[in-house]
Amino acid sequence: MAEKAGTPFILQGWRTRELRFAKGTAQSRMSRWAPDRLVVDYTRTMLGALALVPAPARIAMVGLGGGSQAKFLHRHLPAAALEAIEINPAVIALRRQFRIPDDDARFRVVEADAAEWLKTQPASIDLLLVDGYDTSGIPAALSTQRFYNDCRAALRPGGVAAFNLYDTAHAEHRHRLQVAFGAANVAVVEEARQSNRVAFAWMGPLAATGVVSALSSAGQRELREALAAVRVRVQGR
């Protein structure tokens, strides 16, 4: 989840391993016995975006953290090219502690400022996952209207972006997304058991209903509730 320089540390439990920047707040949580499983609710909700773009060829993630979504996608979406953009080298240095795969032909971790990196990726991404945080919340560079405009510009037609809005100023972020994508192309799902929400924004037209999902059967089972929630939220607008 980290997107700004800081000193991460690991909190080890019997069942979980957490990435933290401060006491009392987990940036990422991994099951020690099932490292590819999505433990935290909002990570599954964000990947509910796959209901809208069921077979993405290229996925970019803003913020690596403990690599929860990267590991899940690497395992369950083998046809997609994956890139995780992380500004903090200390976070990247912990990738083995969180069982994040090594770079290979379809996955890589890029050490870069995501706000600058996105400017170089016009109309090239099918699914963009934005989960960049530091100890103070969403970094300023990932909060501007320019950033949200660049997110839209980076998507291919039919592309979707998902944003974790764990921030007291979530209404401002939602407004900027509506300016960038258009109000009709933005939907928000509240997290019932957490104090955050996930915003979805897309470049129409979305994939037609009935397009076969590229997710593995196991991946579809793990995301069943999230996929259904996003379908209902978007189609029910």
Side-chain angles (χ1 to χ4, degrees):
M1 238 163 108
E3 182 54 33
K4 186 176 179 179
T7 304
F9 64 93
I10 291 173
L11 180 67
Q12 181 92 329
W14 183 74
R15 294 183 177 180
T16 62
R17 180 174 296 160
E18 295 183 355
L19 176 69
R20 294 191 173 203
F21 283 88
K23 293 181 179 180
T25 303
Q27 299 287 326
S28 187
R29 182 178 299 118
M30 178 188 78
S31 166
R32 295 180 61 195
W33 320 121
D36 298 334
R37 184 166 61 86
L38 296 170
V39 176
V40 183
D41 289 355
Y42 86 84
T43 60
R44 294 189 296 276
T45 301
M46 286 184 71
L47 290 185
L50 290 166
L52 309 178
V53 55
R58 186 185 182 206
I59 301 174
M61 293 158 272
V62 173
L64 175 66
S68 300
Q69 292 173 334
K71 289 181 291 186
F72 180 92
L73 292 168
H74 189 265
R75 178 175 181 178
H76 296 292
L77 206 61
L82 312 172
E83 293 162 278
I85 316 306
E86 174 58 59
I87 198 171
N88 190 339
V91 171
I92 298 173
L94 295 174
R95 65 187 292 176
R96 289 187 179 275
Q97 301 275 5
F98 286 92
R99 312 277 187 89
I100 298 171
D102 292 334
D103 287 9
D104 58 25
R106 64 187 185 89
F107 173 66
R108 67 180 183 134
V109 176
V110 179
E111 184 182 333
D113 179 339
E116 295 301 318
W117 182 86
L118 274 173
K119 296 174 184 177
T120 69
Q121 308 296 316
S124 62
I125 297 170
D126 299 298
L127 176 59
L128 177 62
L129 304 169
V130 181
D131 190 18
Y133 278 75
D134 59 24
T135 55
S136 63
I138 301 176
L142 306 186
S143 301
T144 66
Q145 188 64 58
R146 172 62 188 271
F147 173 73
Y148 289 120
N149 292 349
D150 289 338
C151 288
R152 180 184 185 278
L155 294 179
R156 291 173 176 152
V160 178
F163 304 82
N164 177 29
L165 299 183
Y166 188 85
D167 194 296
T168 55
H170 62 88
E172 296 177 16
H173 293 279
R174 181 174 183 171
H175 172 72
R176 291 172 191 142
L177 282 168
Q178 291 174 332
V179 170
F181 288 85
N185 288 2
V186 176
V188 177
V189 174
E190 300 282 340
E191 290 292 348
R193 294 181 293 187
Q194 295 179 279
S195 56
N196 64 312
R197 56 209 46 82
V198 175
F200 300 90
W202 54 89
M203 281 277 290
L206 292 171
T209 302
V211 173
V212 176
S213 173
L215 269 174
S216 69
S217 296
Q220 291 184 55
R221 286 194 298 271
E222 187 167 348
L223 294 181
R224 182 182 292 113
E225 291 184 7
L227 294 168
V230 172
R231 289 190 189 102
V232 168
R233 183 68 185 87
V234 172
Q235 294 173 355
R237 291 168 60 79

